[in-house]
Amino acid sequence: MDRLRKMNSNPTNRLTATRTVFSFIFILCLSFLNTVDARQLPDTGTYKNGMVVCAMPQASQVGLDILKKGGNAVDAAIAVQFALEVTHPQAGNIAGGGFMVYRSASGKTNTLDFREKAPAAASRNMFLDSTGTVIPNMSLATRQASGVPGSVDGMAEAFKKYGSLKWAELVQPAIDLARNGFPITRKLAADLNYGRGQFIKLNPGKNYLLKEGGWKEGDLLVQEDLAKTLELIRDKGRDGFYKGKVADEIAAEMKAGNGLITKADLENYHAVWRPAITGSYKGYRIITMPPPSSGGIALLQLLQSVESYPLSRWGFNRDSTVQLMVEAERRVYADRSKYLGDPDFYKVPVDSLLNPAYNKKRMSTFSWAAATPSQSVLPGTFAGYESDQTTHYSIVDKAGNAVSITTTLNGGFGSKIFVGGAGFLLNNEMDDFSSKPGVPNMFGLVGGKANSIEPGKRMLSSMTPTIIEKNGRLFMVDGTPGGSTIITSVFQTILDVTDFGMDMQHAVDAKRFHHQWLPDEVTEEKGALDDATKAILTKKGYVIKDIGGIGRVDAILVTPTGYQGGADPRGDDTKLGW
Ligand code: DON
């Protein structure tokens, strides 16, 4: 990693370094995003009264129980969020952040931004050394890597506006799971064993998530200190986390190692309701997340870029389909690098980016004969513009209210640093900022001023929780983890349903590919593109690389007979309906 960061500081090596870092992150993620296993496709049955699809079976069960008790989709989402903190420590988070996209049964939409913020003491060059070089790992595995957590405030806000059961009822199932323990899956055992070395190194004297001799499938994971922290949240709501004992412990943890988050940062944190951004695609209405996520804008740009082409005639993952999608992705990710950032700090040119004429013009520069080299694709220009390990869950209830939430610690197990005796992990979301213009972050993404570090600013995200309507009615709830691949995975899942006629589970199972402008390569899950397609594209100059797994999409489709789930077989993801 040191070597990679040194390479990154040299502009002549940037492209190579970007590639190498990107490969590195996929190797890092392999443990978390396993390759598709050969299990039988689960049923594509439908349910009339509600459905929960999330990363862990126990958390899906918690959500379903809340729906059956008469809770609405937001109630269930809050319970799932806390249950994932316990059952999915790779990404579940009370010390992380995320985004919620909401559509009520009557069609009203809203989004909640509970993304982490840079602490007040953060500064633009905080991850650079005296020569201006990015310090390896500083934005990933230190106390400075953490943004001010947003998840607990987000859940409290969501509850205030839409909750219908009692708050305590929504937090209690997570407390029970933490205190009584639950039998872990094979994948969780493997991930915990993978994290062991770092847990020990970064947390001397603590034994959270450690087991003598290593974890195996079926072992009981008990988290008593986490149960106590969750009890404070159950009894005091937001104040149980942002004030008092937990806040003291977070502040003390920061002081123990140059961390920046203070008690004032915690008290001042507030999630923000933002109007959803919407767009249309072939008669569907797309409701998605505005900045500080780049995901919603990028998704709408991608859909606009391909809308006028006959994708269904060409077919799923055929060469013309893949070429078109890759060229759209190249251009959209170039725009992302320059124009996307926290709208409270940077004027994101939303209207220009979402102008259909703009995206059409961007696509006019590609040739069917050969790949457009990324070096020749710069972020677009607009007349009159002044420069200036994640998890997703989808829930619908009996009434038809829908929730789409993507939420994260960033890396697998976040910074891998636990807070004092409070039993939970800190995020390493500061890496989502651009530490230095043009130097890639752990997902190989580059950025500049729009996403530079400033006190109180939210780091740019790729998370793309999305809800889709057809003829004014709920049609689909969609989203995934996967860093920079989130946007393209959501894009592909939508096309798999709208253009390639797949049901929800097959769309989720379908193998994916990805391009993000830099590095200039197409990554594919092995077998996503057949040999003939690869040969055609390679001849045109596309560099195609196999990677272990892309995304973990958890989605719901509304069919004439009821809700149909798609739970990603790449993880332990589980769909439950009733
Ligand atoms: O907000 C973002 O875009 C990233 N922090 C997401 C990280 C992620 O998806 C990791 N999961 N595999």
Side-chain angles (χ1 to χ4, degrees), residues 1-10 13 133-134 136:
M1 196 63 188
D2 284 26
R3 187 177 62 85
L4 299 180
R5 291 290 186 184
K6 275 189 199 120
M7 283 171 72
N8 291 347
S9 66
N10 177 351
N13 285 330
T133 305
V134 173

Side-chain angles (χ1 to χ4, degrees), residues 488-507:
T488 51
S489 295
V490 172
F491 177 45
Q492 286 170 84
T493 318
I494 293 172
L495 297 185
D496 289 346
V497 172
T498 58
D499 289 65
F500 304 121
M502 293 183 203
D503 63 42
M504 197 69 264
Q505 188 61 57
H506 284 87

Side-chain angles (χ1 to χ4, degrees), residues 117-127 138 143-148 254-255 258-266 268 345 430 433 453-457:
K117 291 174 109 170
S123 54
R124 177 168 302 203
N125 296 333
M126 63 184 274
F127 296 126
M138 196 175 164
R143 287 166 184 80
Q144 293 101 307
S146 298
V148 183
M254 291 292 137
K255 284 207 178 114
N258 305 321
L260 301 183
I261 301 173
T262 62
K263 285 179 73 177
D265 285 322
L266 293 167
N268 293 339
F345 284 75
M430 292 294 283
F433 277 118
I453 305 172
E454 293 178 63
K457 188 176 178 181

